[in-house]
Amino acid sequence: MATKIRDIMTGSPTSVSPELDIVTVARAMRDEDIGAVLVAEGDDLKGLVTDRDLVIRGLAAGGDPSQSKIGGIASSVTATVGPDDSLDKAAQIMRERSVRRLPVIEDGRPVGIVSIGDLAIEEDSGSALADISAARSNG
């Protein structure tokens, strides 16, 4: 059983510039079949954008998504974990901060993302959340 974040995280996370438009990022997320991207300038993590952010803060807010910058809708990163942190630490942070994803930072740069689904699969592979998280995308 995995005990460290590095054992379950999604490595090599997709990062985008805060200057990219919402449509370009949405297409990248679709093409890569991912639900979140990190927003960064170089190794400097600026935020995180989920597919839900695209809808709620991007499309539903009005305006032209091909002109709106992704940096304007990114959620600020309130917490991170390191690759050698425990799964329990990640779960505790997610619970305390009410977040579903945490960037994984090593030597000051993003190296992965760990999600509540990743934890569910590892901790209780028979749970409904684990089943949903492990299932192939229907998109």
Side-chain angles (χ1 to χ4, degrees):
M1 176 180 250
T3 60
K4 293 184 178 184
I5 295 299
R6 78 170 64 251
D7 299 327
I8 67 165
M9 72 182 192
T10 300
S12 302
T14 298
S15 287
V16 298
S17 163
E19 296 304 312
L20 280 179
D21 64 87
I22 292 170
V23 173
T24 299
V25 174
R27 287 180 179 149
M29 290 170 71
R30 175 200 62 202
D31 294 347
E32 295 181 36
D33 193 25
I34 55 175
V37 296
L38 299 178
V39 178
E41 290 180 323
D43 286 341
D44 188 19
L45 184 61
K46 300 291 187 183
L48 184 131
V49 172
T50 67
D51 43 12
R52 186 172 194 276
D53 294 331
L54 290 173
V55 173
I56 302 299
R57 294 192 201 132
L59 297 176
D64 183 352
S66 66
Q67 298 299 313
S68 300
K69 305 299 181 202
I70 202 72
I73 68 165
S75 300
S76 59
V77 175
T78 60
T80 64
V81 290
D84 292 320
D85 287 339
S86 70
L87 305 185
D88 289 340
K89 179 177 180 178
Q92 179 183 353
I93 291 170
M94 288 177 180
R95 189 178 304 111
E96 290 171 355
R97 303 289 177 112
S98 297
V99 296
R100 295 181 178 127
R101 295 174 178 91
L102 291 171
V104 182
I105 306 295
E106 185 173 43
D107 298 327
R109 64 180 194 45
V111 295
I113 296 177
V114 64
S115 72
I116 194 168
D118 297 330
L119 293 174
I121 290 168
E122 185 59 33
E123 294 295 320
D124 184 4
S125 62
S127 73
L129 179 56
D131 288 345
I132 292 165
S133 298
R136 291 186 56 208
S137 170
N138 62 1

Short mmCIF file of all heavy atoms in Angstrom, two decimals, residues 35-60:
data_model
loop_
_atom_site.label_atom_id
_atom_site.label_comp_id
_atom_site.label_asym_id
_atom_site.label_seq_id
_atom_site.Cartn_x
_atom_site.Cartn_y
_atom_site.Cartn_z
N GLY A 35 -8.94 17.19 -15.81
CA GLY A 35 -9.92 18.07 -15.19
C GLY A 35 -9.33 19.27 -14.50
O GLY A 35 -10.07 20.09 -13.96
N ALA A 36 -8.00 19.40 -14.52
CA ALA A 36 -7.37 20.54 -13.86
C ALA A 36 -6.02 20.81 -14.49
O ALA A 36 -5.34 19.89 -14.96
CB ALA A 36 -7.19 20.26 -12.37
N VAL A 37 -5.65 22.09 -14.51
CA VAL A 37 -4.32 22.51 -14.95
C VAL A 37 -3.76 23.47 -13.92
O VAL A 37 -4.50 24.17 -13.24
CB VAL A 37 -4.33 23.19 -16.34
CG1 VAL A 37 -4.76 22.23 -17.43
CG2 VAL A 37 -5.18 24.44 -16.35
N LEU A 38 -2.45 23.48 -13.83
CA LEU A 38 -1.78 24.46 -12.99
C LEU A 38 -1.55 25.71 -13.83
O LEU A 38 -1.26 25.63 -15.02
CB LEU A 38 -0.46 23.91 -12.49
CG LEU A 38 -0.55 22.66 -11.62
CD1 LEU A 38 0.85 22.19 -11.23
CD2 LEU A 38 -1.40 22.90 -10.39
N VAL A 39 -1.67 26.86 -13.20
CA VAL A 39 -1.38 28.13 -13.85
C VAL A 39 -0.06 28.61 -13.27
O VAL A 39 0.06 28.79 -12.05
CB VAL A 39 -2.50 29.16 -13.62
CG1 VAL A 39 -2.17 30.48 -14.28
CG2 VAL A 39 -3.83 28.61 -14.15
N ALA A 40 0.94 28.77 -14.14
CA ALA A 40 2.28 29.09 -13.66
C ALA A 40 3.00 29.99 -14.65
O ALA A 40 2.71 29.99 -15.84
CB ALA A 40 3.08 27.80 -13.47
N GLU A 41 3.92 30.76 -14.10
CA GLU A 41 4.87 31.52 -14.89
C GLU A 41 6.23 30.93 -14.58
O GLU A 41 6.74 31.10 -13.47
CB GLU A 41 4.81 33.00 -14.53
CG GLU A 41 3.53 33.67 -14.98
CD GLU A 41 3.46 35.14 -14.63
OE1 GLU A 41 3.93 35.54 -13.54
OE2 GLU A 41 2.91 35.88 -15.45
N GLY A 42 6.76 30.16 -15.52
CA GLY A 42 7.98 29.41 -15.25
C GLY A 42 7.69 28.39 -14.17
O GLY A 42 6.71 27.65 -14.25
N ASP A 43 8.50 28.38 -13.13
CA ASP A 43 8.28 27.47 -12.01
C ASP A 43 7.44 28.10 -10.90
O ASP A 43 7.22 27.48 -9.86
CB ASP A 43 9.63 27.02 -11.42
CG ASP A 43 10.35 26.02 -12.32
OD1 ASP A 43 9.68 25.40 -13.17
OD2 ASP A 43 11.57 25.87 -12.17
N ASP A 44 6.98 29.33 -11.10
CA ASP A 44 6.22 30.07 -10.09
C ASP A 44 4.73 29.74 -10.23
O ASP A 44 4.07 30.20 -11.16
CB ASP A 44 6.48 31.56 -10.26
CG ASP A 44 5.87 32.39 -9.14
OD1 ASP A 44 5.57 31.82 -8.07
OD2 ASP A 44 5.71 33.61 -9.34
N LEU A 45 4.22 28.95 -9.31
CA LEU A 45 2.82 28.53 -9.33
C LEU A 45 1.92 29.70 -8.96
O LEU A 45 2.06 30.29 -7.90
CB LEU A 45 2.61 27.37 -8.35
CG LEU A 45 1.23 26.75 -8.30
CD1 LEU A 45 0.84 26.17 -9.65
CD2 LEU A 45 1.18 25.68 -7.21
N LYS A 46 1.00 30.04 -9.86
CA LYS A 46 0.08 31.17 -9.66
C LYS A 46 -1.31 30.72 -9.24
O LYS A 46 -2.04 31.47 -8.61
CB LYS A 46 -0.03 32.00 -10.93
CG LYS A 46 1.26 32.60 -11.41
CD LYS A 46 1.71 33.66 -10.45
CE LYS A 46 2.92 34.41 -10.99
NZ LYS A 46 3.41 35.38 -10.04
N GLY A 47 -1.71 29.52 -9.65
CA GLY A 47 -3.05 29.07 -9.33
C GLY A 47 -3.35 27.73 -9.97
O GLY A 47 -2.47 27.06 -10.51
N LEU A 48 -4.62 27.37 -9.90
CA LEU A 48 -5.10 26.10 -10.42
C LEU A 48 -6.45 26.37 -11.06
O LEU A 48 -7.24 27.15 -10.53
CB LEU A 48 -5.24 25.10 -9.27
CG LEU A 48 -5.64 23.70 -9.62
CD1 LEU A 48 -4.71 22.71 -8.94
CD2 LEU A 48 -7.06 23.42 -9.18
N VAL A 49 -6.72 25.76 -12.20
CA VAL A 49 -8.01 25.90 -12.86
C VAL A 49 -8.57 24.51 -13.11
O VAL A 49 -7.89 23.63 -13.62
CB VAL A 49 -7.87 26.65 -14.21
CG1 VAL A 49 -9.18 26.61 -15.00
CG2 VAL A 49 -7.45 28.09 -13.99
N THR A 50 -9.83 24.34 -12.71
CA THR A 50 -10.53 23.08 -12.93
C THR A 50 -11.56 23.27 -14.04
O THR A 50 -11.89 24.40 -14.43
CB THR A 50 -11.26 22.62 -11.66
OG1 THR A 50 -12.31 23.55 -11.38
CG2 THR A 50 -10.31 22.50 -10.48
N ASP A 51 -12.09 22.15 -14.52
CA ASP A 51 -13.15 22.23 -15.51
C ASP A 51 -14.35 23.00 -14.96
O ASP A 51 -15.01 23.75 -15.68
CB ASP A 51 -13.54 20.85 -16.03
CG ASP A 51 -13.66 19.79 -14.96
OD1 ASP A 51 -13.67 20.10 -13.75
OD2 ASP A 51 -13.73 18.60 -15.34
N ARG A 52 -14.60 22.87 -13.68
CA ARG A 52 -15.71 23.62 -13.05
C ARG A 52 -15.43 25.12 -13.07
O ARG A 52 -16.32 25.92 -13.32
CB ARG A 52 -15.91 23.13 -11.62
CG ARG A 52 -17.13 23.75 -10.96
CD ARG A 52 -17.42 23.09 -9.61
NE ARG A 52 -18.74 23.44 -9.12
CZ ARG A 52 -19.02 24.55 -8.44
NH1 ARG A 52 -18.05 25.41 -8.16
NH2 ARG A 52 -20.24 24.82 -8.05
N ASP A 53 -14.18 25.51 -12.81
CA ASP A 53 -13.81 26.93 -12.88
C ASP A 53 -14.09 27.49 -14.27
O ASP A 53 -14.54 28.63 -14.41
CB ASP A 53 -12.33 27.14 -12.56
CG ASP A 53 -11.96 26.81 -11.13
OD1 ASP A 53 -12.82 26.94 -10.23
OD2 ASP A 53 -10.80 26.42 -10.90
N LEU A 54 -13.78 26.69 -15.30
CA LEU A 54 -14.03 27.14 -16.67
C LEU A 54 -15.50 27.49 -16.88
O LEU A 54 -15.82 28.50 -17.51
CB LEU A 54 -13.62 26.07 -17.68
CG LEU A 54 -12.13 25.80 -17.84
CD1 LEU A 54 -11.91 24.60 -18.75
CD2 LEU A 54 -11.40 27.01 -18.37
N VAL A 55 -16.37 26.68 -16.32
CA VAL A 55 -17.80 26.91 -16.49
C VAL A 55 -18.29 28.06 -15.59
O VAL A 55 -18.91 29.01 -16.08
CB VAL A 55 -18.60 25.62 -16.18
CG1 VAL A 55 -20.10 25.90 -16.18
CG2 VAL A 55 -18.25 24.55 -17.19
N ILE A 56 -18.00 27.99 -14.31
CA ILE A 56 -18.56 28.95 -13.35
C ILE A 56 -17.94 30.34 -13.50
O ILE A 56 -18.66 31.34 -13.58
CB ILE A 56 -18.35 28.45 -11.90
CG1 ILE A 56 -19.00 27.07 -11.71
CG2 ILE A 56 -18.88 29.46 -10.89
CD1 ILE A 56 -20.49 27.02 -11.93
N ARG A 57 -16.63 30.42 -13.53
CA ARG A 57 -15.96 31.72 -13.57
C ARG A 57 -15.67 32.20 -14.98
O ARG A 57 -15.41 33.37 -15.20
CB ARG A 57 -14.65 31.67 -12.79
CG ARG A 57 -14.87 31.45 -11.33
CD ARG A 57 -13.56 31.70 -10.58
NE ARG A 57 -13.63 31.04 -9.30
CZ ARG A 57 -12.70 30.27 -8.80
NH1 ARG A 57 -11.58 30.06 -9.47
NH2 ARG A 57 -12.83 29.71 -7.63
N GLY A 58 -15.64 31.26 -15.93
CA GLY A 58 -15.32 31.62 -17.31
C GLY A 58 -16.57 31.85 -18.14
O GLY A 58 -16.92 32.98 -18.45
N LEU A 59 -17.27 30.79 -18.46
CA LEU A 59 -18.42 30.89 -19.36
C LEU A 59 -19.62 31.59 -18.73
O LEU A 59 -20.21 32.47 -19.34
CB LEU A 59 -18.83 29.50 -19.84
CG LEU A 59 -17.78 28.75 -20.66
CD1 LEU A 59 -18.26 27.35 -20.99
CD2 LEU A 59 -17.45 29.53 -21.92
N ALA A 60 -19.98 31.19 -17.52
CA ALA A 60 -21.17 31.76 -16.89
C ALA A 60 -21.01 33.23 -16.53
O ALA A 60 -22.00 33.94 -16.38
CB ALA A 60 -21.55 30.96 -15.65
#
